[in-house]
């Protein structure tokens, strides 16, 4: 199975900050890396498809980059509603493993 | 609009079975894969497997093989996930999610609201 490692596991940032979350795969995913946001008590929400394609309705302050084994999710200017846990997920091959998550808190 | 509505919370004894339903609407049920995930309290998301009602195919994660069965009823566009021989570490929120592509590289665009299964003696 492909292993996914996210970092950091948690972070606290202020409104307006630029935030970066990284995800590393144990083998190449080519472009098949997805990012989700999950708020407490809610299902995950798809943010970024295929490493860098913004899902419809997702604010443009979110962006994704990377290819192969190393990927990044960036929030350019953090907003209060961006709190939650962010997960990367690989869709290269089954089982479609998720990273362990990054819990983002607003200072 | 696409909706996935799951059945309500369950409390089960160790050794029992649970069946969670996922009623879909707003799209053609047989045209898409449906995946099941679970999330233990405070933990990340774990893949349980997938089903394709259009071609009558299922695939279960190795961890659950022998204990999990995914079925469906196309007449009511509803999917079911049954997990048997429950243990306390099966306590989790269980989710269904639609894969919107048929490329073999799934994209989970719509999710059920989750079903909390608690296993306790």
């Amino acid at each position: 199975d492909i292993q996914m490692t996210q970092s950091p596991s948690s972070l606290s940032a202020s409104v307006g900050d630029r935030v970066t979350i990284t995800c590393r795969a144990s083998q190449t995913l080519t472009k098949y890396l997805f990012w989700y946001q999950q708020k407490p008590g809610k299902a995950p929400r798809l943010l970024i498809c295929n490493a860098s394609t913004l899902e419809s309705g997702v604010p443009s302050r979110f962006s994704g980059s990377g290819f192969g084994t190393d990927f990044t999710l960036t929030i350019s200017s953090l907003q209060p509603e961006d709190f939650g846990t962010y997960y990367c997920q690989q869709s290269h091959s089954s089982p479609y493993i998720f990273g362990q998550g990054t819990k983002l808190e607003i200072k | 609009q696409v909706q996935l509505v799951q059945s309500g919370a369950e409390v089960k004894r160790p050794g029992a079975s649970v069946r969670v339903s996922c009623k879909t609407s707003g799209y053609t049920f047989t045209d898409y894969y449906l995946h099941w995930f679970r999330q233990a309290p405070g933990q990340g998301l774990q893949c349980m497997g997938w089903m394709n009602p259009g071609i009558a195919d299922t695939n279960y994660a190795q961890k659950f093989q022998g204990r999990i069965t995914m079925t469906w009823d196309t007449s009511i566009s509803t999917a079911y996930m049954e997990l048997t021989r429950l243990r306390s570490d099966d306590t989790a929120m269980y989710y269904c999610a639609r894969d919107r592509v048929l490329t073999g590289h799934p994209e989970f665009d719509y999710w059920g609201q989750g079903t909390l299964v608690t296993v306790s003696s």
Side-chain angles (χ1 to χ4, degrees), chain B residues 3 12 20 22 29-30 34 37 43 49 53 56 67 76-77 80 83-84 96 101 103 107 109 111 113 115 121:
Chain B
Q3 287 190 305
K12 296 292 182 181
V20 178
C22 174
F29 181 66
T30 51
L34 204 67
F37 303 91
Q43 302 301 308
R67 290 206 299 144
I76 55 172
S77 300
Y80 304 94
L83 193 62
T84 63
C96 57
V101 298
T103 61
E107 302 179 9
D109 61 344
W111 292 67
Q113 82 278 16
T115 297
S121 55

Side-chain angles (χ1 to χ4, degrees), chain A residues 49-102:
Chain A
C49 306
N50 295 321
S52 60
T53 302
L54 197 66
E55 184 70 359
S56 176
V58 175
S60 59
R61 63 181 178 273
F62 290 90
S63 65
S65 64
F67 187 89
T69 60
D70 293 297
F71 301 87
T72 300
L73 173 70
T74 300
I75 308 173
S76 60
S77 179
L78 193 66
Q79 297 302 301
E81 62 268 29
D82 296 337
F83 74 94
T85 302
Y86 291 80
Y87 294 95
C88 62
Q89 176 252 324
Q90 67 87 8
S91 282
H92 180 270
S93 54
S94 181
Y96 304 111
I97 302 290
F98 286 77
Q100 78 276 21
T102 296

